[in-house]
Amino acid sequence: KGCCCRGDTGAVHIDCLIELATHAAETADDSMYSAWGFCATCEEPFTGAVETALAAAWMARVAENGDEEETLFAQGNQARVLANAGKYAEAAALHETSHAGLKALLGEWHESTINAAFGLSYVYFRQARHSEAEAIQTAILEHQREKHGEDALETVRAMLLLANTLGSLGRYAESEKLRRHIVEVQTRLLGETHPDTLISLTNLGISCSDQGKFDEALRIDEQTYEASKRVNGPDHPRTLDYGGNVASSYVDFERYAEAQELLVVILAGYHRIYPDDHPSIQICRNMLARAELCNGEYAKAEVAYRKLLAFREETHAGEHPETCRTMLCIADCLRHQQKLEEAEEYTRRAHAVQTSSIGVDHPDIFVTLGILGSIQVAQGHPAQAVEELRETIPKVKETMGSGHPYTVLAIKTFADAESLLGHHASAIALLEETHQAVVAARGPSSIMTLRLASVLGAALVRGGRRSEGEAMLKSTFAEQQTKLIPTHADIRSTTDRLREFDLA
């Protein structure tokens, strides 16, 4: 059931599909891409084993007939299949050959050449070759705007890929602006449950989540997931993707058990469609590990992240942001297990790669420095943490906003270090401002609010406001015990602060 048509069951002989594709490709009323890549019944793209087998059959066909144009189309299709399987280096080489050939044969702005350029830019995007992807996508967007107009579907398609690249570059506001326009146009022209509209809607949810707009992100994710279940069925790959986004939003809302429960279902669905090393399965495992990490299951999450790191290092040649993010997750697991030396090693490795690959102002850097500062504070080196984070604080506040998790991590760490160094007034002022923003965004009893309140309570005691600080620490500890597992690092940190002031 490689195309995952609507319904719960179905099977077909791949040889029969190959015969049908061969016949369709030879008729005048069907494109070669449609014949070999899409199910004639549901008009959805083939996936998994069927997709791979048909792409190989098409390559075998063109090797026999020697038709130059069809060979270039078949190469582009094979590259697409390789990219879907996470084999980006092989996909890039084939896409480059196909695109160059079609450009020479048909011209730069022929529809088939543009499609090949889209495929090439997508693989560059997946390889984190963002400047190359952005250059291709920007050129296509300008051409499509001039030829078709701002609201044409051809133009919107170019916007979609560029918005993805901008998001990966950390230019979240630009990405969101494009994605909102895309959703508006596609909803008007295609309908709100059209597959392309649902894809664009879930991308908009990602933009909202990136910027800390978690309420809107969850609403979009749940809307998209439910719509896809109705339109495509619960086992369709896109439905599973959208379900993963819902689980990710659950983690943002600290609903860890619900996230883990849903991700187990999603992962089982993927296993029915894809081989174990498929990117969708790895992404789902990453989400599950994130839920475990946030829930305080550090050893379990560490094992999962180490397996994921091995996959990332094998899949992505050289420096890649996804590899760095996985290193940082391992560092966070280690930090919470008091394995500070190894945690620092992973963090500095990630930071060195990020500095050279994505630049010092990318939002991912804020997370890295926040984790590094937390490690330094735990090692008894608050002055080093202050030095690392001093210039980051105004950047992260301006870029992400006061209540964003990246901002909270950096400020919590910086202010804790300042407090330990005796800079009480400035530390308390910064913590109170941030605490107020987090309460407004998440409420007084969220896990993030309590984490910040623990640091603020300690700073108040150190700064001479003992009764106020004691009350905050005790109430925080009591609430954390009702929300977190006993071994969670937040409970340990608050316990250590109570002991510091003989309050345990």
Side-chain angles (χ1 to χ4, degrees):
K1 198 184 164 194
C3 63
C4 290
C5 299
R6 297 179 184 84
D8 296 326
T9 61
V12 69
H13 291 134
I14 289 178
D15 286 347
C16 295
L17 286 179
I18 293 171
E19 186 176 335
L20 286 169
T22 303
H23 173 73
E26 291 171 349
T27 62
D29 60 348
D30 210 338
S31 73
M32 286 177 279
Y33 278 124
S34 295
W36 291 96
F38 289 78
C39 172
T41 301
C42 69
E43 299 182 348
E44 285 288 304
F46 294 115
T47 60
V50 174
E51 176 184 59
T52 302
L54 284 169
W58 192 7
M59 290 292 286
R61 167 187 160 88
V62 297
E64 291 179 3
N65 67 27
D67 182 277
E68 181 182 6
E69 184 175 348
E70 187 177 354
T71 298
L72 294 170
F73 287 148
Q75 287 174 337
N77 183 65
Q78 177 76 339
R80 178 185 63 83
V81 172
L82 288 168
N84 288 344
K87 299 175 181 178
Y88 302 120
E90 297 173 64
L94 262 181
H95 265 312
E96 286 165 349
T97 300
S98 174
H99 177 252
L102 289 169
K103 185 177 179 180
L105 186 67
L106 304 174
E108 182 176 7
W109 299 118
H110 189 280
E111 183 181 355
S112 296
T113 310
I114 291 173
N115 287 335
F118 275 134
L120 178 59
S121 74
Y122 171 75
V123 174
Y124 284 166
F125 162 75
R126 296 305 305 173
Q127 290 180 301
R129 297 163 64 176
H130 294 129
S131 59
E132 294 168 89
E134 184 182 4
I136 293 172
Q137 292 157 2
T138 300
I140 296 174
L141 178 56
E142 290 173 357
H143 174 269
Q144 300 293 64
R145 271 177 172 152
E146 183 177 345
K147 182 178 179 181
H148 301 287
E150 182 73 12
D151 291 352
L153 291 175
E154 293 86 350
T155 307
V156 161
R157 183 187 177 201
M159 288 180 184
L160 190 148
L161 287 176
L162 180 58
N164 293 345
T165 300
L166 293 174
S168 291
L169 287 167
R171 292 155 62 180
Y172 301 137
E174 294 175 70
S175 179
E176 181 191 356
K177 183 178 179 181
L178 280 178
R179 285 170 169 169
R180 287 193 185 280
H181 180 74
I182 291 165
V183 169
E184 186 275 321
V185 172
Q186 289 179 328
T187 301
R188 174 161 40 87
L189 298 181
L190 301 175
E192 61 182 13
T193 59
H194 188 279
D196 290 351
T197 308
L198 293 179
I199 291 172
S200 299
L201 192 59
T202 199
N203 286 339
L204 177 58
I206 292 169
S207 284
C208 293
S209 179
D210 285 338
Q211 297 174 91
K213 302 174 183 178
F214 299 122
D215 287 319
E216 186 175 6
L218 178 59
R219 178 182 60 77
I220 288 172
D221 290 338
E222 290 181 331
Q223 174 187 338
T224 310
Y225 184 41
E226 292 304 319
S228 187
K229 283 195 287 187
R230 291 194 306 271
V231 174
N232 299 315
D235 297 327
H236 192 284
R238 286 180 187 162
T239 304
L240 299 175
D241 293 344
Y242 302 149
N245 291 337
V246 172
S248 183
S249 283
Y250 285 167
V251 174
D252 289 333
F253 274 93
E254 303 172 352
R255 294 161 60 177
Y256 306 133
E258 291 173 83
Q260 288 171 292
E261 183 179 342
L262 179 55
L263 286 167
V264 168
V265 174
I266 300 297
L267 190 58
Y270 281 138
H271 274 299
R272 288 193 291 270
I273 303 168
Y274 299 132
D276 192 62
D277 62 350
H278 192 277
S280 293
I281 289 178
Q282 301 306 320
I283 290 169
C284 188
R285 285 175 175 160
N286 179 67
M287 291 179 177
L288 190 54
R290 179 185 172 224
E292 291 164 351
L293 169 59
C294 293
N295 197 39
E297 301 169 69
Y298 306 119
K300 189 176 180 180
E302 181 192 345
V303 171
Y305 278 128
R306 287 189 184 277
K307 289 179 180 177
L308 186 62
L309 180 62
F311 171 80
R312 299 277 194 223
E313 290 176 331
E314 182 180 347
T315 303
H316 300 300
E319 301 173 346
H320 196 282
E322 293 295 340
T323 307
C324 293
R325 291 186 190 113
T326 307
M327 287 183 189
L328 288 172
C329 290
I330 293 173
D332 220 17
C333 292
L334 293 167
R335 172 173 73 95
H336 289 309
Q337 295 176 84
Q338 301 296 296
K339 301 174 183 178
L340 300 178
E341 187 175 339
E342 191 179 1
E344 182 179 4
E345 179 186 342
Y346 271 100
T347 307
R348 291 198 181 278
R349 278 175 59 194
H351 185 250
V353 173
Q354 288 175 327
T355 302
S356 62
S357 62
I358 60 177
V360 295
D361 292 327
H362 193 285
D364 283 5
I365 293 286
F366 303 149
V367 179
T368 305
L369 292 176
I371 291 173
L372 179 59
S374 296
I375 293 167
Q376 290 166 333
V377 170
Q379 289 173 324
H381 306 306
Q384 290 181 17
V386 168
E387 186 64 26
E388 295 276 9
L389 286 167
R390 188 181 302 279
E391 294 182 3
T392 301
I393 299 302
K395 288 182 182 179
V396 69
K397 286 176 70 176
E398 180 181 358
T399 305
M400 309 306 298
S402 296
H404 194 281
Y406 293 4
T407 309
V408 174
L409 171 62
I411 287 177
K412 174 186 75 68
T413 304
F414 177 79
D416 194 23
E418 285 273 81
S419 174
L420 289 166
L421 291 170
H423 306 153
H424 303 305
S426 60
I428 291 170
L430 187 56
L431 285 167
E432 286 182 328
E433 175 192 351
T434 309
H435 184 259
Q436 197 171 44
V438 175
V439 169
R442 291 175 171 265
S445 300
S446 77
I447 294 170
M448 183 182 292
T449 307
L450 296 173
R451 185 177 300 140
L452 195 61
S454 177
V455 178
L456 175 57
L460 289 169
V461 175
R462 296 187 194 112
R465 294 161 62 178
R466 187 175 181 91
S467 60
E468 190 178 350
E470 284 184 8
M472 181 169 282
L473 281 170
K474 288 178 179 178
S475 64
T476 297
F477 181 68
E479 285 204 66
Q480 285 176 331
Q481 286 183 307
T482 67
K483 291 177 175 289
L484 304 170
I485 64 174
T487 55
H488 197 285
D490 285 4
I491 289 180
R492 184 180 66 242
S493 296
T494 305
T495 300
D496 289 344
R497 293 182 179 108
L498 288 168
R499 286 172 178 162
E500 178 185 349
F501 307 118
D502 296 325
L503 300 173

